Amino acid sequence: MQNAMNILEQFGIVPVSTGILTTVLGRYSSPNSKVAELEQKGELIRLKKGLYVVAPAIHRQILSIELIANHLYGPSYVSFEWALWFYKLIPERVYNTRSITLKRSRSFGTPLGNFDYVSAKASYYSIGINHLQINDKLAYLMASPEKAICDMVVAKLGQRLQSVKAVQAYLEHDLRIDFTAIGALNTDIIRQCMEVGKKKAELMYLLKFLQQ
């Protein structure tokens, strides 16, 4: 008969619900108590009520923060500073994972870090999402570089970006984006965001700056 560690190993790096865990742990007299015990022992990491991920010591794989972000609250795609760092557009390592979601904005604190979600309407959400493979079975959703930049501009709080120079200063000095790190950006994505998103003027200035 399989022990609990062998049962958990099958889930790998994919977040798993309490319902599924209690089903596969059904041979124990109290599956819910077993889940709590496995969490206490560090074999399960609690992401939020009803959702866990198996500890790397069990499956011997590196956890995917992006995959966890997609599962923690969705539909959603990873964006903002995390995506810019992933594409090597900004130099600093990012520790908070921010995503765009179709649901209301939420934040979650987990043992793996903080996950923040910013709400967007469906017509804006659907633009410029990349489907990135982890392996032949798993993938996650992340903003394209262009969409991540749009998300930064649209979600920026405080002072508005009211000129091309203001946008340039925000991107190059505040965010320290290195535009030489990738090839030409797809300005069609920015144009689509401008047509359906908030802060149309700011996105127009962004488009003009990138077309210079």
Side-chain angles (χ1 to χ4, degrees), residues 65-124:
I65 293 298
E66 297 89 358
L67 184 68
I68 288 169
N70 283 184
H71 281 258
L72 183 59
Y73 194 63
S76 64
Y77 64 84
V78 177
S79 187
F80 300 102
E81 298 92 342
W82 190 279
L84 296 177
W85 171 78
F86 176 87
Y87 294 120
K88 297 181 172 57
L89 287 174
I90 58 175
E92 292 85 2
R93 180 72 165 86
V94 178
Y95 296 96
N96 279 16
T97 310
R98 287 208 292 164
S99 301
I100 292 285
T101 181
L102 287 174
K103 294 182 179 178
R104 66 185 180 90
S105 298
R106 286 284 304 272
S107 293
F108 299 87
T110 81
L112 301 176
N114 295 323
F115 294 81
D116 300 320
Y117 297 82
V118 177
S119 182
K121 61 183 182 179
S123 57
Y124 178 85

Side-chain angles (χ1 to χ4, degrees), residues 3-16:
N3 61 33
M5 288 181 62
N6 290 336
I7 292 172
L8 294 180
E9 188 176 5
Q10 67 182 300
F11 297 112
I13 65 173
V14 180
V16 57

Side-chain angles (χ1 to χ4, degrees), residues 52-175:
Y52 297 84
V53 67
V54 178
I58 304 298
H59 49 63
R60 299 175 297 280
Q61 300 177 62
I62 298 173
L63 292 175
S64 167
I65 293 298
E66 297 89 358
L67 184 68
I68 288 169
N70 283 184
H71 281 258
L72 183 59
Y73 194 63
S76 64
Y77 64 84
V78 177
S79 187
F80 300 102
E81 298 92 342
W82 190 279
L84 296 177
W85 171 78
F86 176 87
Y87 294 120
K88 297 181 172 57
L89 287 174
I90 58 175
E92 292 85 2
R93 180 72 165 86
V94 178
Y95 296 96
N96 279 16
T97 310
R98 287 208 292 164
S99 301
I100 292 285
T101 181
L102 287 174
K103 294 182 179 178
R104 66 185 180 90
S105 298
R106 286 284 304 272
S107 293
F108 299 87
T110 81
L112 301 176
N114 295 323
F115 294 81
D116 300 320
Y117 297 82
V118 177
S119 182
K121 61 183 182 179
S123 57
Y124 178 85
Y125 175 97
S126 62
I127 299 166
I129 301 176
N130 286 341
H131 191 266
L132 302 179
Q133 295 291 134
I134 299 173
N135 53 41
D136 59 350
K137 295 180 180 179
L138 299 176
Y140 57 84
L141 300 179
M142 179 180 281
S144 66
E146 299 86 356
K147 184 65 176 297
I149 294 170
C150 286
D151 290 342
M152 292 295 303
V153 170
V154 169
K156 185 181 185 302
L157 300 176
Q159 183 179 4
R160 301 193 68 175
L161 305 173
Q162 298 183 321
S163 68
V164 173
K165 286 187 177 180
V167 169
Q168 181 176 0
Y170 173 58
L171 298 178
E172 294 184 344
H173 300 295
D174 294 1
L175 299 181

Side-chain angles (χ1 to χ4, degrees), residues 8 16 21 25 34-36 38-46 52-55 58:
L8 294 180
V16 57
L21 287 170
L25 296 169
K34 188 63 180 178
V35 170
L38 293 170
E39 180 188 356
Q40 188 174 21
K41 290 168 65 177
E43 295 174 8
L44 283 173
I45 300 169
R46 186 178 187 269
Y52 297 84
V53 67
V54 178
I58 304 298

